[in-house]
């Protein structure tokens, strides 16, 4: 029986994210949230202290907000299994490692330990085939692949 031409069919629901994808999304979201918070702290500090070069500080704050916001969007994309989300996840995790190591060398373990843990966990999860390998769905991609679950984007 043919469906009514005026009736629209709902897209097939996406498969629920696995625990590994949830953990990866959490790592990326934590990194993004941390950058947004640091940007807000720098902004408040600049406004309160009236720092020397406002253009430089405005650029720095904008950079924190932009990169943090991008990571928050990437965390959501991880849950939707978008392939492009893997690159910012790997990049931000790689950048977290020297930040954590430097904080550790400056005797600030309260900053270093969480940064290193999230960075290492995010990097391992993003590169693990069982987790990062699930980030393959794009619109129109993998539709003919037998191992890809059905998804209408």
């Amino acid at each position: 029986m043919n469906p009514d031409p005026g009736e629209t069919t709902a897209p097939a629901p996406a498969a629920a994210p696995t625990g590994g994808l949830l953990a990866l999304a959490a790592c990326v979201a934590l990194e993004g949230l941390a950058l947004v918070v640091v940007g807000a702290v720098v902004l408040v500090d600049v406004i309160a202290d009236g720092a020397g070069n406002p253009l430089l500080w405005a650029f720095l704050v904008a950079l924190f907000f932009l990169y943090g916001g991008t990571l928050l969007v990437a965390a959501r994309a991880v849950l939707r299994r978008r392939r492009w989300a893997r690159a910012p996840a790997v990049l931000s995790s790689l950048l977290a490692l020297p930040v954590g190591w430097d904080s550790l060398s400056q005797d600030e373990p309260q900053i270093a330990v969480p940064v290193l843990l999230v960075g290492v966990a995010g990097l391992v999860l993003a590169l693990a085939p069982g987790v990062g390998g699930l980030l393959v769905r794009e619109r129109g991609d993998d539709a003919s692949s037998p191992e890809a679950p059905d998804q209408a984007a």
Side-chain angles (χ1 to χ4, degrees), residues 87-112:
V90 170
L91 179 64
S92 64
S93 295
L94 283 173
L95 290 174
L97 298 179
V99 170
W101 186 261
D102 186 54
S103 297
L104 192 61
S105 69
Q106 294 181 13
D107 292 328
E108 296 183 8
Q110 70 278 10
I111 295 173

Side-chain angles (χ1 to χ4, degrees), residues 131-142:
V131 178
L134 295 175
L135 302 176
V136 295
R137 293 187 186 164
E138 290 289 333
R139 293 181 185 193
D141 284 357
D142 303 321

Side-chain angles (χ1 to χ4, degrees), residues 18-43:
T18 66
L21 283 177
L22 289 173
L24 177 59
C27 288
V28 175
L30 280 172
E31 292 168 350
L33 184 62
L35 286 170
V36 170
V37 168
V38 168
V41 168
V42 169
L43 180 63

Side-chain angles (χ1 to χ4, degrees), residues 68-122:
T70 300
L71 289 178
L72 291 172
V73 170
R76 185 170 184 211
V78 165
L79 294 176
R80 293 177 171 215
R81 299 182 183 203
R82 300 293 186 223
R83 181 185 351 220
W84 67 265
R86 191 175 191 179
V90 170
L91 179 64
S92 64
S93 295
L94 283 173
L95 290 174
L97 298 179
V99 170
W101 186 261
D102 186 54
S103 297
L104 192 61
S105 69
Q106 294 181 13
D107 292 328
E108 296 183 8
Q110 70 278 10
I111 295 173
V113 171
V115 168
L116 285 171
L117 287 176
V118 170
V120 168

